[in-house]
Amino acid sequence: MINQRGTAVWNGDSKGSGEISTQSGLVKVPYSVGARFNGEKGSNPEELVAAAHAACYTMFLDVILTKDGKQVKQLRSESKVTLDTSGDVPKVTKIALTTEGEVEGLTQEEFQRYAETAKENCPISALLKGGAELTLASATLKS
């Protein structure tokens, strides 16, 4: 088993702000309500989920193409996460992947099949489809 961690720190009320960071230390970005809902500078959870999904999907697509002996020059993918804010509680309602690739000796139909296989099987796609146990391991109130 491999465990990876992400951390978020929030300061203040809903007008406050925070910082999101990753275990490797390579990602350390500010986030806020304004960045999430009003297009202000900073990051937000949906953007980070989209980036993680695009990265996982693209890597998985490369692995299955390479495993089948295909020569991949480049793959470029985007995961677009739609957050619906019209209800009482914001809700992610859609995630749409797009991908394009430069792969030698592959037809459009074959690339489409590989792309669908990657969509169904990359670990983050599986997670987003509800394929992981979610627990609250701890909740400690500091005084």
Side-chain angles (χ1 to χ4, degrees):
M1 297 285 191
I2 299 171
N3 294 300
Q4 300 290 342
R5 293 185 316 276
T7 303
V9 175
W10 188 264
N11 299 300
D13 61 13
S14 63
K15 293 180 183 164
S17 63
E19 183 175 85
I20 301 167
S21 60
T22 59
Q23 177 178 325
S24 67
L26 294 175
V27 175
K28 192 172 187 177
V29 296
Y31 77 120
S32 67
V33 171
R36 190 174 197 185
F37 298 110
N38 303 323
E40 295 174 11
K41 189 172 181 166
S43 191
N44 60 73
E46 293 75 28
E47 174 183 75
L48 295 170
V49 167
H53 189 212
C56 182
Y57 170 81
T58 305
M59 187 182 291
F60 195 93
L61 179 56
D62 179 72
V63 166
I64 61 176
L65 286 163
T66 302
K67 183 179 174 185
D68 283 354
K70 308 302 179 194
Q71 295 296 316
V72 177
K73 288 184 177 181
Q74 185 181 61
L75 298 170
R76 182 179 185 88
S77 305
E78 177 183 89
S79 176
K80 182 179 178 183
V81 174
T82 301
L83 181 66
D84 182 353
T85 60
S86 64
D88 291 339
V89 178
K91 183 176 183 179
V92 172
T93 56
K94 182 177 182 180
I95 301 171
L97 284 165
T98 58
T99 191
E100 62 181 29
E102 292 179 54
V103 184
E104 292 182 17
L106 206 61
T107 67
Q108 175 60 44
E109 294 76 23
E110 290 170 324
F111 185 68
Q112 182 70 39
R113 282 195 298 273
Y114 279 103
E116 288 290 338
T117 298
K119 177 190 68 102
E120 291 301 317
N121 295 292
C122 91
I124 300 299
S125 286
L127 169 69
L128 295 171
K129 292 187 292 184
E133 175 185 355
L134 178 63
T135 65
L136 177 61
S138 172
T140 305
L141 180 64
K142 292 171 60 174
S143 53

